[in-house]
DNA sequence: TAGGCCATCTGGTCCT
DNA sequence: AGGACCAGATGGCCTA
């Protein structure tokens, strides 16, 4: 499935792989939805973490001492609240960025999993839950195939009627495979896979 | 149009 | 303090 176009504002950071998305109220202060904003604009909007902090630490022979900067007599509390707000916003943006990357990595792993699962040309891309269920049942089917092969029965590659194959959707089912049923849909599909899937044959 | 799927944001929690 | 992980909320896109 191709990435869907989103209407939220996308911000590019210095890292080409990273971008930020702002909520509607945030993006409204920039340009129209979908506008690209430079890192300079981003930092001017939210500030950087370096701006936060009102004390300086020194390391000396007697240990670490902290020298507090003189607070301005006026606006002191207002400024610190603003700085704290800026810092929270900065942390939130960083956390959002990490979370986005984390989910991208998770999706990459799901794509990798889809790539090793058998599929047919006319099949639509599996959803996330279908991929996990398919993988679960596929592993079960492989295990069963090996077990039967070890028992020397070898009856799987031929002689399975089409009516026994079951729906491919059955592999996406959330229900556990029926390990005791000799004619389970999973087994039928496994036979179908054995006969038609080159990648699966390579795997075997 | 309702429902499914998805990406993203967000706040909370746990861990280092 | 900051990062990883999680679950809930939200809104967009797509399809029956």
């Amino acid at each position: 499935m191709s990435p869907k176009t989103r209407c939220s504002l996308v911000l590019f950071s210095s890292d080409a792989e990273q971008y930020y998305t702002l909520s509607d109220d945030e993006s409204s202060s920039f340009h129209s939805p979908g506008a690209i904003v430079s890192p300079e604009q981003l930092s001017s909007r939210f500030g950087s973490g370096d701006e936060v902090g009102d004390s300086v630490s020194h390391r000396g022979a007697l240990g670490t001492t902290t020298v507090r900067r003189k607070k301005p007599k006026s606006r002191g509390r207002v400024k610190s609240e603003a700085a704290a707000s800026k810092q929270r916003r900065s942390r939130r943006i960083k956390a959002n960025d990490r979370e986005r990357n984390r989910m991208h990595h998770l999706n990459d792993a799901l794509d990798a999993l889809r790539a090793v699962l058998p599929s047919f040309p006319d099949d639509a891309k599996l959803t996330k839950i279908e991929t996990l269920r398919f993988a679960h049942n596929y592993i079960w089917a492989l295990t069963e195939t090996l077990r039967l092969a070890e028992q020397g029965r070898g009856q799987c590659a031929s002689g399975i009627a089409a009516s026994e194959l079951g729906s491919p959707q059955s592999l996406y089912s959330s229900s556990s495979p029926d390990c005791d049923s000799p004619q389970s849909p999973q087994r039928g599909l496994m036979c179908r896979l054995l006969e038609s899937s080159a990648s699966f044959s390579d795997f075997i």
Side-chain angles (χ1 to χ4, degrees):
Chain A
M1 190 181 293
S2 59
K4 295 171 182 174
T5 304
R6 300 186 61 79
C7 296
S8 51
L9 177 63
V10 177
L11 307 175
F12 286 91
S13 71
S14 57
D15 185 340
E17 292 292 317
Q18 297 177 338
Y19 55 92
Y20 300 107
T21 307
L22 301 182
S23 57
D24 291 341
D25 58 328
E26 291 165 343
S27 61
S28 63
S29 63
F30 280 116
H31 310 288
S32 58
I36 296 175
V37 178
S38 68
E40 289 75 18
Q41 289 174 285
L42 178 65
S43 60
S44 67
R45 170 85 161 86
F46 296 110
S48 67
D50 295 339
E51 299 172 2
V52 179
D54 58 353
S55 64
V56 178
S57 295
H58 297 276
R59 279 189 180 275
L62 298 179
T64 302
T65 59
T66 299
V67 179
R68 289 185 180 273
R69 287 175 178 160
K70 274 189 176 179
K71 289 183 179 179
K73 287 183 179 178
S74 63
R75 301 184 306 165
R77 180 176 174 81
V78 173
K79 186 178 180 180
S80 67
E81 284 184 355
S85 176
K86 235 175 191 178
Q87 184 182 33
R88 278 196 301 271
R89 187 64 213 168
S90 176
R91 285 178 183 168
R92 215 336 101 192
I93 290 174
K94 287 180 182 177
N96 290 347
D97 193 33
R98 286 193 304 271
E99 176 67 9
R100 207 180 301 119
N101 287 330
R102 194 181 72 85
M103 296 309 296
H104 287 171
H105 287 142
L106 184 61
N107 288 336
D108 287 346
L110 272 170
D111 285 338
L113 183 57
R114 287 187 187 100
V116 299
L117 291 175
S119 62
F120 297 96
D122 56 341
D123 281 350
K125 181 182 178 181
L126 297 179
T127 65
K128 292 180 176 181
I129 188 66
E130 284 173 347
T131 300
L132 293 175
R133 287 172 177 162
F134 192 2
H136 175 268
N137 294 343
Y138 183 52
I139 290 170
W140 171 86
L142 289 173
T143 304
E144 275 298 286
T145 300
L146 286 175
R147 188 178 66 80
L148 291 176
E150 286 176 358
Q151 288 180 356
R153 294 183 181 175
Q155 63 195 36
C156 190
S158 62
I160 300 296
S163 61
E164 298 171 357
L165 295 179
S167 164
Q169 296 299 323
S170 62
L171 268 185
Y172 312 146
S173 167
S174 61
S175 61
S176 299
D178 182 1
C179 298
D180 297 327
S181 169
Q183 308 295 351
S184 67
Q186 287 79 14
R187 187 181 185 187
L189 183 55
M190 180 56 83
C191 298
R192 185 174 154 197
L193 293 172
L194 277 169
E195 293 172 335
S196 63
S197 170
S199 62
F200 181 72
S201 298
D202 292 340
F203 179 79
I204 291 296

